[in-house]
Amino acid sequence: MHPDRAAHDPSPARAAARPGDGPEEGAWYPCSWPDKFTPVAQFLLQGGKVLAVTLTGDAVQAKNGSMVAYDGQMAFKKMSGGGEGLRGMVTRRITGEQLTVMEVKGQGTCYFADRAADISLVRLSGEKLHVEASNLLCTEAALRTGTTFTGVRGAAQGSGLFTTTVEGSGQAALISDGPAVVLRVGQGTPLQVDPGAYVAHTGDLRQSFQSGVSFRTFMGEGSGEAFQVRFEGDGLVYVQPSERNTLGGEI
Amino acid sequence: MSGPTGPSGPAGPGGPAVFDFHTLPSDDNVNPYTFCVDLHGQWFLQKGKMIAYFGQISFNGIGHGPLDRLVSGSFHSPLHASDWVVAEGQGKMLLADRAFDVNSYDLEEGNLTIRSGNLLAFEPTLSLKQSIIPGFLTLIGTGKFVAASNGQVHFVEPPVRVDPQALVGWADCPSPCHHYDHQYMRGVMGGVRALTGLGGASGEEHQFEFSGAGSVLIQSTEVLMPEQATGGVPQQAGGPGGGQQGRSGQPGRTGGQTPRMPGQLGDLQRRFGL
Amino acid sequence: MPFHEINSKLVEARVVPGQRLFSQRGAMIAYRGEVSFTPNRASGQGGVMSMIGRRVAGEAAPLMTVEGNGTVMFGHGGHHIQVVELDGDTLCVEADRLLAFDGSLEQGTMFMGSQGGVMGMVRGQVTGQGLFTTTLKGRGSVAVMAHGGVLELPITPGRPVHVDPQAYVAHHGDVRNKLSTALGWRDMVGRGSGEAFQLELSGDGAVFVQASEEKL
């Protein structure tokens, strides 16, 4: 943990908070932070399923309705997904994606969680993160989000041909059903992923559609072929220990 | 493990660990919900439980011709044949099941009976048979298997009485018998139920009673893990799907059946053991 | 009688003669020894008032009395379990989140409308709990269920905590509650929607928040 962050841990999860054993006033809160502190949202995981974001006047974007609690002053603003401007409008039109994002701005600590999903923090420094729209919980204001065409995997998932991209420098929080496993794909070690377990990827990766997996069983049950996504190149793939329901990916 | 080399470096402080083909554990858990099989040869695998793999692995249905010998040696549950595949090849394969806890178990010249919906995968050195208790499978021999549970599995020693729906399995001890709590059934709810038939059976009035020496495996749920029909006795507490209909309205992970492709016979086929 | 946490989803309690436990019906996972389970709706001391409270509130949380000599394991639906030790103070918790609790604790129902007037009335509708919330007072242990684990947030004077009613689990200490709405929140979720409000908890104590907006 970053030493600065440890010192200003805004929210001691399960702190001893019995009456008479109360916390020292002001020990954790941003109001006691030095003036020279630059307003950058601090992301901190609370036990894997709750994200605490400390704001000092700056803003983050988060999945709509994912706020579970906050202290201090917060303002919420509805935003539409797909990025800003004309491009965002066009992609929204094409994808039909009702990406509901809210902007949270204020002073204090805001806690985010979504249906007990596990959260992974990703720190980006200039590269691009591809993520299923439903798996993105929160991004720093400095990051740009957009939509890209990914074709292949989308087809297998039947959930549209587009995924969300996050670009820039800053932190993003991903959610997954169960803690995500991060797998490195390198030269000579391509990776096959069940489309229902795919969460996100970064790096220079080529995706291809693999349907060479057959189930020949009695009476033709499951004679439909299972789809997998093959990642080749150099990068990281996030998978979750769970499968969304997919039409393909029967294994 | 060496730090991230590429431009993408999410494995910073607090970030998740990154695994590659070589650093993935061999036949061990990656985290409490993901198990990595280091495959050299064959494993039996329930459909839909493989989330990712490195290497050269092919997957074939149990009925696939060339596998006949393997199946005749290790797989003796025709009711489940359509739910299982054989993974064959070399590589590392990640197994998971709806973010439930997964664990591997080693049997040495032993036997263990497990709820069919909880068993994810097993080595062909083990032999799989249908238990006399509906909805349960027995593994016999020496080898490793992987099972899922809702929450960590808790081991207890007999004598103990267990809510049938919280039972994952048992090893070494004799098969359980039924125990009915008459005081509970005489009570208000029991009376209401007897009169109206409403309410369904609950673990407080009917348990599985274990005795003898051995281990009983318990999971922390009263909602059955959604499982495939197993040809058991329906509408009976303790059986597969017993009381499940009445509970399907509960929140949680119920009703997670995978959609069927057109032309599949599905449960009907399973029930007839085709 | 404290609960022993076996893992995040299972607790074990020792039952001795002369002391009883209350638990949610259907929450027993396994037991050893001679233990009896008796279903009851009015759940002991709460008596008629408590029962009426639940009726009015539409809270159907049938309890059972656990007595005898042995150990009992509790769990429910794979939900995470949080054990709260009470040392003379009062815990406010929704009835259907109670997994099991010490029989010596004094049960009651709190009429939420008494705090915060009309807004308090609305709150009952907001949380879907009705106007009554169960209170437990005294010295003993309470096992509370939550979807995805809980986070305990301290409430200190001058530093109120705002909680999404859907994620609220329980609170204790000298805490006042009222409804509030954050700037812009109402525009976002739509006017008139019950979710347009947050619970504002102020005073001195702590609130338990779950990692999910899903009700149990």
Side-chain angles (χ1 to χ4, degrees):
Chain A
M1 186 185 284
H2 197 270
D4 275 347
R5 215 183 295 163
H8 298 299
D9 182 353
S11 53
R14 307 204 44 199
R18 307 268 167 272
D21 188 22
E24 287 169 50
E25 190 74 24
W28 306 317
Y29 299 115
C31 51
S32 66
W33 288 11
D35 294 335
K36 64 188 178 198
F37 184 80
T38 42
V40 170
Q42 296 280 319
F43 283 44
L44 196 62
L45 286 184
Q46 304 282 320
K49 298 185 183 216
V50 178
L51 173 71
V53 177
T54 304
L55 297 172
T56 49
D58 49 332
V60 291
Q61 290 181 18
K63 192 170 182 174
N64 208 356
S66 61
M67 182 276 288
V68 291
Y70 69 88
D71 62 21
Q73 304 294 323
M74 294 288 160
F76 299 86
K77 195 171 124 195
K78 191 175 191 170
M79 298 176 76
S80 37
E84 294 302 313
L86 185 66
R87 188 170 158 259
M89 240 167 72
V90 171
T91 50
R92 274 198 302 283
R93 188 67 60 80
I94 296 172
T95 59
E97 212 172 26
Q98 191 64 46
L99 225 191
T100 44
V101 178
M102 62 181 179
E103 187 192 70
V104 185
K105 193 173 182 177
Q107 299 257 356
T109 304
C110 194
Y111 299 88
F112 298 100
D114 187 46
R115 279 169 290 169
D118 285 84
I119 303 171
S120 309
L121 291 181
V122 183
R123 182 176 284 285
L124 295 175
S125 35
E127 73 273 30
K128 193 186 271 190
L129 171 78
H130 296 260
V131 55
E132 287 292 323
S134 57
N135 289 96
L136 190 59
L137 179 69
C138 188
T139 53
E140 258 182 62
L143 293 172
R144 295 181 304 280
T145 54
T147 309
T148 43
F149 178 77
T150 52
V152 162
R153 191 187 56 258
Q157 276 187 319
S159 64
L161 303 164
F162 298 86
T163 50
T164 297
T165 53
V166 182
E167 269 180 289
S169 292
Q171 289 212 86
L174 308 180
I175 47 172
S176 50
D177 187 15
V181 177
V182 192
L183 297 169
R184 178 177 296 283
V185 178
Q187 298 303 327
T189 54
L191 175 73
Q192 282 75 218
V193 176
D194 179 313
Y198 168 84
V199 173
H201 75 268
T202 60
D204 181 20
L205 289 175
R206 289 181 306 284
Q207 299 174 61
S208 55
F209 187 53
Q210 184 165 323
S211 61
V213 188
S214 67
F215 299 108
R216 270 160 289 186
T217 51
F218 315 130
M219 292 191 58
E221 172 166 9
S223 61
E225 304 207 309
F227 306 125
Q228 284 159 4
V229 189
R230 184 178 168 93
F231 289 93
E232 281 170 293
D234 206 345
L236 299 177
V237 180
Y238 291 70
V239 294
Q240 64 182 8
S242 178
E243 310 88 16
R244 294 177 208 94
N245 278 346
T246 56
L247 275 176
E250 257 253 298
I251 177 153
Chain B
M1 188 185 2
S2 59
T5 50
S8 47
V18 178
F19 294 95
D20 63 21
F21 177 71
H22 302 287
T23 57
L24 272 175
S26 175
D27 290 337
D28 204 350
N29 277 70
V30 181
N31 64 33
Y33 315 94
T34 312
F35 187 86
C36 180
V37 175
D38 193 357
L39 187 69
H40 300 282
Q42 293 161 323
W43 265 69
F44 283 99
L45 188 64
Q46 210 185 113
K47 268 188 197 174
K49 309 306 180 197
M50 192 281 295
I51 56 165
Y53 69 90
F54 285 109
Q56 298 295 321
I57 302 177
S58 67
F59 300 89
N60 286 292
I62 293 287
H64 190 46
L67 294 171
D68 272 355
R69 249 185 75 194
L70 176 76
V71 171
S72 66
S74 311
F75 199 94
H76 305 280
S77 178
L79 286 173
H80 298 88
S82 58
D83 297 330
W84 287 77
V85 292
V86 176
E88 197 169 10
Q90 308 280 327
K92 281 185 172 169
M93 170 167 81
L94 297 182
L95 307 179
D97 185 15
R98 290 157 290 166
F100 288 121
D101 289 69
V102 294
N103 273 301
S104 72
Y105 303 78
D106 290 301
L107 277 184
E108 213 164 301
E109 288 304 315
N111 73 84
L112 185 140
T113 304
I114 185 168
R115 186 181 290 280
S116 63
N118 290 62
L119 181 63
L120 297 191
F122 63 95
E123 275 184 303
T125 52
L126 289 169
S127 176
L128 182 80
K129 306 199 176 204
Q130 273 173 246
S131 166
I132 195 123
I133 308 274
F136 284 82
L137 295 166
T138 302
L139 289 157
I140 302 168
T142 300
K144 196 183 280 290
F145 69 94
V146 180
S149 55
N150 195 337
Q152 287 165 37
V153 165
H154 181 58
F155 290 83
V156 287
E157 281 173 23
V160 67
R161 290 171 184 157
V162 182
D163 180 344
Q165 294 167 354
L167 180 66
V168 175
W170 65 93
D172 302 332
C173 51
S175 288
C177 48
H178 296 281
H179 173 86
Y180 290 92
D181 187 328
H182 286 278
Q183 187 170 352
Y184 194 93
M185 298 184 74
R186 268 208 319 269
V188 181
M189 288 313 289
V192 168
R193 200 169 83 82
L195 285 171
T196 63
L198 295 174
S202 107
E204 282 80 27
E205 45 199 285
H206 167 227
Q207 300 103 34
F208 281 172
E209 182 172 286
F210 288 91
S211 55
S215 317
V216 180
L217 286 66
I218 296 173
Q219 68 184 6
S220 79
T221 182
E222 303 259 328
V223 178
L224 281 182
M225 292 179 38
E227 57 189 60
Q228 307 281 6
T230 48
V233 191
Q235 305 297 332
Q236 193 169 315
Q244 202 173 8
Q245 281 78 7
R247 292 169 178 270
S248 58
Q250 293 200 15
R253 305 170 189 275
T254 49
Q257 300 279 341
T258 48
R260 258 175 229 302
M261 301 296 280
Q264 282 185 295
L265 286 173
D267 298 333
L268 191 68
Q269 179 181 346
R270 256 174 231 117
R271 186 147 306 160
F272 291 109
L274 296 168
Chain C
M1 139 185 31
F3 293 101
H4 163 59
E5 292 176 72
I6 293 172
N7 59 44
S8 63
K9 297 176 176 183
L10 268 184
V11 292
E12 189 175 56
R14 171 123 192 87
V15 186
V16 293
Q19 284 183 36
R20 59 183 174 176
L21 276 175
F22 293 112
S23 90
Q24 191 172 110
R25 183 173 175 255
M28 187 276 289
I29 293 283
Y31 71 93
R32 295 161 190 279
E34 286 309 311
V35 182
S36 71
F37 302 89
T38 320
N40 54 326
R41 264 190 179 274
S43 62
Q45 311 149 329
V48 181
M49 271 317 288
S50 154
M51 191 172 71
I52 291 174
R54 291 216 173 79
R55 277 287 151 71
V56 173
E59 280 184 357
L63 295 175
M64 61 185 183
T65 309
V66 183
E67 287 166 305
N69 191 3
T71 55
V72 187
M73 273 167 252
F74 295 105
H76 190 66
H79 288 301
H80 282 254
I81 300 166
Q82 174 77 28
V83 176
V84 183
E85 303 288 342
L86 288 181
D87 190 18
D89 54 334
T90 304
L91 181 79
C92 236
V93 59
E94 298 167 5
D96 45 3
R97 288 185 183 273
L98 275 175
L99 180 74
F101 57 96
D102 217 311
S104 64
L105 289 171
E106 191 184 317
Q107 292 174 60
T109 44
M110 191 168 94
F111 184 58
M112 281 298 186
S114 66
Q115 286 190 339
V118 181
M119 290 306 268
M121 304 274 284
V122 179
R123 187 206 143 168
Q125 288 159 1
V126 170
T127 58
Q129 300 309 304
L131 302 171
F132 295 86
T133 297
T134 299
T135 57
L136 295 171
K137 190 180 178 185
R139 282 169 206 281
S141 304
V142 186
V144 176
M145 289 183 289
H147 187 220
V150 298
L151 182 66
E152 183 175 351
L153 298 176
I155 301 164
T156 50
R159 194 84 200 182
V161 175
H162 303 256
V163 179
D164 182 350
Q166 321 281 320
Y168 166 84
V169 174
H171 73 265
H172 65 91
D174 179 21
V175 171
R176 289 172 305 285
N177 65 81
K178 68 168 189 177
L179 279 175
S180 66
T181 185
L183 198 61
W185 182 263
R186 218 184 308 191
D187 289 329
M188 212 177 61
V189 298
R191 279 173 201 281
S193 155
E195 289 171 42
F197 297 97
Q198 285 99 43
L199 275 174
E200 184 180 322
L201 300 157
S202 54
D204 197 351
V207 57
F208 294 97
V209 181
Q210 70 176 11
S212 171
E213 309 84 18
E214 241 164 64
K215 303 296 295 177
L216 290 188

